[in-house]
């Protein structure tokens, strides 16, 4: 049986109308949800520390900005749009002391609820609205009359109307235009972490680097290795995104297709699949979450060292040189991240 998918026909903004929607945090997801909901006619307020650099940004965009505790007192729906490991402290300091019965506590990722870094009281609704894309895309698609698909889930249903609130929120950010899939906090959290670690980020970057290293060590020019193992990745991913794996195969050569279907399974073999199952098991039993929380509490030294090593990989230097020849590529300023890797946790907290 397939997932339950809601569209604009099955959703309504009514459950949010006349209610105050509080967004604590104004980063990638926070700013996009705040802007889209306001443009959909919902009253939105923003919660930020007084010294946050985002205060002036939010005020320039016309939002009323308050400390997080005040947002928790004023809002009917409180969206904790903060990093996973920051949510526990924000919840304990600002939200929990001011959370009134009957309110709704919202998240864009289930980590804090699923791994119990917070403990919401039983008399509030707990919901999830997780767009399947970064905040800038959620905002851009909305302004163009489109939407980014999203997941919705209910963790607690004290009011009996938690799902209606979540669906209204999803509709308000434009997700119902593309499809809203009903799930659970557990399923969203575990599949999201697995996708990031095994395929989208961890798996892909390790595969790209290994391919690059294999060609260079065999005596081929690094520039060619870069193009074959990294640059052309986007072309293939775009084809899969638009038409699926079979659609991608339709667009490539017969030689590429034969290599795809015969060699691909040799690379992603049973050993890799067994490792993937171990990765999933560590996510399911909470081992990954405990390890990540301990790493953060210990100052993130290993985390930053691994990022430093990645930034120093030869493919980065080759890629920077090759991309400089293509001025039409959108440039991303990663100087702040590089400084964080070099200076360590104290610097990272400031960016």
């Amino acid at each position: 049986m397939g997932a339950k998918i809601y569209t604009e026909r099955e959703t309504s903004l009514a459950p949010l109308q006349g209610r105050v929607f509080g967004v604590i945090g104004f980063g990638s997801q926070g700013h996009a949800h705040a802007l889209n909901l306001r443009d959909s006619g919902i009253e939105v307020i923003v919660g930020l520390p007084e010294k946050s650099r985002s205060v002036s940004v939010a005020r320039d965009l016309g939002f009323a900005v308050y400390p997080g505790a005040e947002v928790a007192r004023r809002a009917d729906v409180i969206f904790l749009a903060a990093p996973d490991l920051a949510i526990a402290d924000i919840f304990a300091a600002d939200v929990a002391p001011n959370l009134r019965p009957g309110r709704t506590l919202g998240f864009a990722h289930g980590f804090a609820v699923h791994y119990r870094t917070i403990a919401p009281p039983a008399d509030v609704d707990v919901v999830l609205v997780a767009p399947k894309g970064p905040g800038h895309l959620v905002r851009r698609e909305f302004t163009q009359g489109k939407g980014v698909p999203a997941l919705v889930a209910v963790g607690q249903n004290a009011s009996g109307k938690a799902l209606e609130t979540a669906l209204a929120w999803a509709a308000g950010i434009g997700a119902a235009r593309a499809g809203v899939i009903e799930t659970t906090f557990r399923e969203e959290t575990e599949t999201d972490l697995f996708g990031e670690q095994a395929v989208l980020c961890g798996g892909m970057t390790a595969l790209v680097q290994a391919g690059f290293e294999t060609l260079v060590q065999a005596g081929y020019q690094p520039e060619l290795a870069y193009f074959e193992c990294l640059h052309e990745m986007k072309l293939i991913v775009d084809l899969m995104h638009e038409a699926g794996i079979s659609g991608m195969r339709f667009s490539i050569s017969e030689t590429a297709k034969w290599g795809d279907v015969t060699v691909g399974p040799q690379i992603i073999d049973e050993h890799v699949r067994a490792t993937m199952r171990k990765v999933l098991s560590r996510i399911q039993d909470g081992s990954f979450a405990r390890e990540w929380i301990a790493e953060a509490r210990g100052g993130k030294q290993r985390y930053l060292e691994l990022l430093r090593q990645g930034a120093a990989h030869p493919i980065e230097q080759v890629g920077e040189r090759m991309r400089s020849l293509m001025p039409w590529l959108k440039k991303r300023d990663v100087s702040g991240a590089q400084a964080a890797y070099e200076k360590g946790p104290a610097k990272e907290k400031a960016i």
Side-chain angles (χ1 to χ4, degrees):
M1 183 177 178
K4 172 62 178 176
I5 302 176
Y6 299 88
T7 66
E8 288 186 291
R9 292 189 298 274
E10 294 88 34
T11 58
S12 168
L13 291 171
L16 286 183
Q17 290 169 341
R19 302 171 76 186
V20 177
F21 194 102
V23 179
I24 297 181
F26 208 68
S28 176
Q29 290 292 337
H31 93 279
H33 289 236
L35 288 166
N36 290 6
L37 287 166
R38 186 180 66 181
D39 288 352
S40 294
I42 306 304
E43 182 181 354
V44 178
I45 59 175
V46 173
L48 289 166
E50 292 181 4
K51 295 182 179 179
S52 171
R53 292 178 294 180
S54 296
V55 169
S56 60
V57 176
R59 285 179 174 154
D60 287 346
L61 288 168
F63 289 102
V65 180
Y66 305 95
E70 185 62 22
V71 167
R73 282 190 286 269
R74 290 173 178 253
D76 300 296
V77 180
I78 302 156
F79 171 30
L80 279 164
D84 291 330
L85 300 189
I87 285 176
D89 289 341
I90 294 171
F91 182 78
D94 296 333
V95 179
N98 301 291
L99 190 59
R100 292 171 288 166
R103 296 315 190 241
T104 298
L105 195 60
F107 302 85
H109 182 38
F111 188 100
V113 173
H114 180 55
Y115 293 118
R116 303 182 186 280
T117 65
I118 67 169
D123 55 7
V124 301
D125 289 348
V126 178
V127 303
L128 170 83
V129 175
K132 302 313 293 177
H136 73 270
L137 186 62
V138 173
R139 179 58 180 165
R140 187 183 73 198
E141 293 292 281
F142 179 90
T143 61
Q144 295 177 355
K146 298 179 288 185
V148 171
L151 307 181
V152 296
V154 173
Q156 287 185 183
N157 190 18
S159 70
K161 298 180 179 179
L163 180 59
E164 289 88 338
T165 297
L167 289 172
W169 175 0
I173 63 171
R177 300 170 182 172
V180 179
I181 302 173
E182 188 174 354
T183 183
T184 64
F185 271 75
R186 180 191 67 80
E187 186 175 49
E188 185 277 334
T189 304
E190 293 176 359
T191 57
D192 185 76
L193 292 175
F194 177 81
E196 291 170 350
Q197 295 171 28
V199 181
L200 302 177
C201 302
M204 181 179 67
T205 56
L207 183 64
V208 167
Q209 290 177 338
F212 177 88
E213 291 165 3
T214 299
L215 287 176
V216 172
Q217 289 166 6
Y220 297 99
Q221 296 181 78
E223 292 78 7
L224 270 66
Y226 169 81
F227 277 115
E228 293 303 330
C229 297
L230 190 154
H231 180 81
E232 292 190 37
M233 176 76 74
K234 181 181 187 308
L235 308 179
I236 299 302
V237 170
D238 282 350
L239 288 171
M240 290 195 293
H241 186 263
E242 294 165 5
I245 294 174
S246 294
M248 176 274 291
R249 287 172 174 163
F250 178 80
S251 300
I252 63 178
S253 71
E254 291 290 311
T255 303
K257 275 197 281 281
W258 176 245
D260 173 355
V261 298
T262 61
V263 178
Q266 297 177 49
I267 302 298
I268 309 301
D269 59 9
E270 182 52 36
H271 171 75
V272 175
R273 293 173 185 272
T275 301
M276 285 184 170
R277 289 191 289 270
K278 291 179 181 178
V279 167
L280 179 57
S281 178
R282 294 189 72 253
I283 292 168
Q284 292 171 328
D285 67 19
S287 297
F288 168 77
R290 289 191 293 272
E291 178 187 64
W292 174 223
I293 291 168
E295 175 69 17
R297 289 175 176 169
K300 299 183 181 178
Q301 295 293 342
R302 179 167 176 256
Y303 164 75
L304 289 168
E305 177 55 31
L306 291 172
L307 291 176
R308 278 192 289 268
Q309 292 176 14
H313 192 283
I315 200 172
E316 299 298 340
Q317 285 72 54
V318 174
E320 185 176 0
R321 187 166 72 253
M322 292 298 96
R323 290 189 295 272
S324 70
L325 302 176
M326 295 173 275
W328 55 87
L329 291 179
K330 182 177 180 181
K331 300 296 188 294
R332 296 186 182 276
D333 180 9
V334 296
S335 57
Q338 296 291 351
Y341 304 159
E342 293 167 6
K343 293 185 179 296
K347 177 65 178 177
E348 189 201 28
K349 291 176 183 177
I351 64 173

